[in-house]
Amino acid sequence: MRQPQSCGELFRVFTLLALQGFGGVLAVAQHELVERQRWLTRDEFLEMLSVGQVLPGPNVVNISLMIGDRFFGWRGAASALAGMLAAPLVLMLALAMLYGQFADNPRVSGALRGMGAVSAGLVLAMAWKLVGSLEKNPLGLTTCLALGALTAGLVVGLRWPLVWVLAGLGPIAIGLAWWKLRP
Amino acid sequence: MTVPFHTADLLPLFLHFVMLSLLAVGGAITTAPDMHRYLVGEQHWLTDAQFTASVALAQAAPGPNVLFVAVLGYNVAGMAGAFAAMAGIMLPSTTLALWATRWGRSRRETRGVRAFTLGLAPLTLGLLLATGWVLTEPARDSPGAMLLVGLSAVVMARTRLSPMWLVALGAAVGAAGYA
């Protein structure tokens, strides 16, 4: 196992890692942090991922905070977070500006429509993969699918604000899971 | 049609993203339907096409997926909008993550924490479906675009191909006028 020598090194490694992640950084993060830098074992990475998933916010951003915090406290967390976000943000805003200049060009707007359709497909694939893991959920697959359909229906069908949907269904789902998990 | 954005609207924009940050238990993308409801449906700051284009643009650049929030903010109100939206979505969740890390690590296997993650998983599924639905809105009258939706969903679910290639394919098909 190795350790980052400074906050600067944390920033550098997280910047390089974020810039390699097209369509999601998680897989790159695992490769870079576990296999190349060897700051964490595979198990430690998976453990951080499962904690990161409980928390609100993007998983991979939560992981960068935890790793930074582990080596250099809050300064490390800030360095890792800045590394993860700064360079991609600049690149992204430059791209958004460029798009603004050419949005009226039919080829550019066509390309964006095509990419938008692909984005929709990528999200639906994430949903499909999640169905696989719900088979092991103590609520049972049928209840899970019913809760999922209800959530989607309230959000896009009735256009309820997300905060109502989560405040209404969240406690029911968590309560049900709590009951099913009783020893 | 969109409604003009005023500087005074930056605060409500920021606060809406602050709230969504705390609701983003399944990742930032699961709050996209609510961003759509607020930005397109309620405030009319963006059109459907602009909303989906913002999310698509974010796929074309590297980095964490949450950066689509910055592009949405930028398309609503330029640089100030990008920073208001990004600060809103990041501040609460990062503060909470730092505070909760040590607390959560030792209690990961407890019944309460497990009930929380397992209970919310089906809701995350519903929100991903809702996000997929919202993003297909501009594609629904184009057979080519719907074919792209289906193809990328199947390829991503069944293979380990990098999404980068699908995004490039979508751009090429769209630029040729088929999406």
Side-chain angles (χ1 to χ4, degrees), chain B residues 79-107:
Chain B
M79 280 299 174
F83 284 103
M86 206 54 202
I89 202 82
M90 294 307 298
L91 277 176
S93 67
T94 48
T95 313
L96 191 67
L98 270 184
W99 174 80
T101 299
R102 296 189 185 93
W103 186 89
R105 204 174 288 162
S106 53
R107 290 170 183 78

Side-chain angles (χ1 to χ4, degrees), chain B residues 42-106:
Chain B
E42 200 175 300
Q43 302 289 351
H44 304 288
W45 287 330
L46 292 177
T47 62
D48 267 332
Q50 283 175 317
F51 185 89
T52 301
S54 304
V55 179
L57 206 59
Q59 302 273 1
N65 295 329
V66 64
L67 289 173
F68 78 92
V69 170
V71 185
L72 281 175
Y74 180 81
N75 285 332
V76 169
M79 280 299 174
F83 284 103
M86 206 54 202
I89 202 82
M90 294 307 298
L91 277 176
S93 67
T94 48
T95 313
L96 191 67
L98 270 184
W99 174 80
T101 299
R102 296 189 185 93
W103 186 89
R105 204 174 288 162
S106 53

Side-chain angles (χ1 to χ4, degrees), chain B:
Chain B
M1 274 310 289
T2 55
V3 168
F5 188 91
H6 302 286
T7 315
D9 297 329
L10 280 171
L11 186 66
L13 180 75
F14 169 75
L15 291 176
H16 193 80
F17 281 94
V18 164
M19 177 196 71
L20 289 184
S21 176
L22 294 170
L23 300 177
V25 202
I29 194 76
T30 58
T31 60
D34 202 73
M35 294 175 192
H36 181 269
R37 186 189 62 78
Y38 181 71
L39 300 174
V40 180
E42 200 175 300
Q43 302 289 351
H44 304 288
W45 287 330
L46 292 177
T47 62
D48 267 332
Q50 283 175 317
F51 185 89
T52 301
S54 304
V55 179
L57 206 59
Q59 302 273 1
N65 295 329
V66 64
L67 289 173
F68 78 92
V69 170
V71 185
L72 281 175
Y74 180 81
N75 285 332
V76 169
M79 280 299 174
F83 284 103
M86 206 54 202
I89 202 82
M90 294 307 298
L91 277 176
S93 67
T94 48
T95 313
L96 191 67
L98 270 184
W99 174 80
T101 299
R102 296 189 185 93
W103 186 89
R105 204 174 288 162
S106 53
R107 290 170 183 78
R108 188 164 53 92
E109 290 303 324
T110 60
R111 187 173 162 202
V113 173
R114 289 192 63 219
F116 184 82
T117 26
L118 292 168
L120 287 181
L123 272 56
T124 300
L125 170 70
L127 292 174
L128 288 175
L129 290 174
T131 305
W133 176 255
V134 165
L135 291 181
T136 57
E137 221 138 288
R140 262 172 246 151
D141 47 8
S142 153
M146 287 313 285
L147 212 63
L148 272 177
V149 174
L151 179 78
S152 25
V154 171
V155 170
M156 268 316 274
R158 289 298 171 85
T159 69
R160 301 188 62 184
L161 191 74
S162 161
M164 205 172 110
W165 302 113
L166 289 166
V167 173
L169 174 74
V173 171
Y178 293 109

Side-chain angles (χ1 to χ4, degrees), chain A residues 16-181:
Chain A
L16 289 175
L17 178 163
L19 288 177
Q20 290 171 61
F22 283 89
V25 185
L26 207 54
V28 182
Q30 179 169 359
H31 179 77
E32 193 73 15
L33 298 170
V34 176
E35 278 143 48
R36 287 201 49 202
Q37 302 296 335
R38 288 191 281 138
W39 290 348
L40 301 166
T41 64
R42 210 184 126 76
D43 287 345
E44 282 172 322
F45 184 86
L46 290 178
E47 186 185 312
M48 281 193 178
L49 181 60
S50 67
V51 177
Q53 274 166 341
V54 182
L55 296 166
N59 295 331
V60 70
V61 171
N62 287 341
I63 287 179
S64 70
L65 285 169
M66 286 181 220
I67 293 175
D69 180 55
R70 169 170 154 164
F71 292 117
F72 297 107
W74 69 267
R75 288 184 311 125
S79 310
L81 179 69
M84 187 67 103
L85 292 179
L89 185 63
V90 170
L91 209 66
M92 187 78 76
L93 289 175
L95 205 65
M97 268 186 238
L98 203 67
Y99 169 67
Q101 305 275 311
F102 295 101
D104 296 332
N105 179 313
R107 285 199 184 277
V108 173
S109 59
L112 256 296
R113 265 202 313 282
M115 284 156 57
V118 171
S119 306
L122 299 183
V123 171
L124 292 173
M126 282 166 67
W128 177 249
K129 286 183 184 167
L130 189 59
V131 171
S133 73
L134 289 180
E135 279 168 7
K136 284 173 285 179
N137 195 298
L139 293 176
L141 190 57
T142 318
T143 311
C144 283
L145 292 180
L147 278 169
L150 190 60
T151 306
L154 291 174
V155 169
V156 293
L158 301 182
R159 298 201 164 250
W160 276 20
L162 181 61
V163 62
W164 296 3
V165 179
L166 287 184
L169 290 180
I172 298 175
I174 295 169
L176 216 57
W178 166 265
W179 185 70
K180 293 272 188 188
L181 286 169

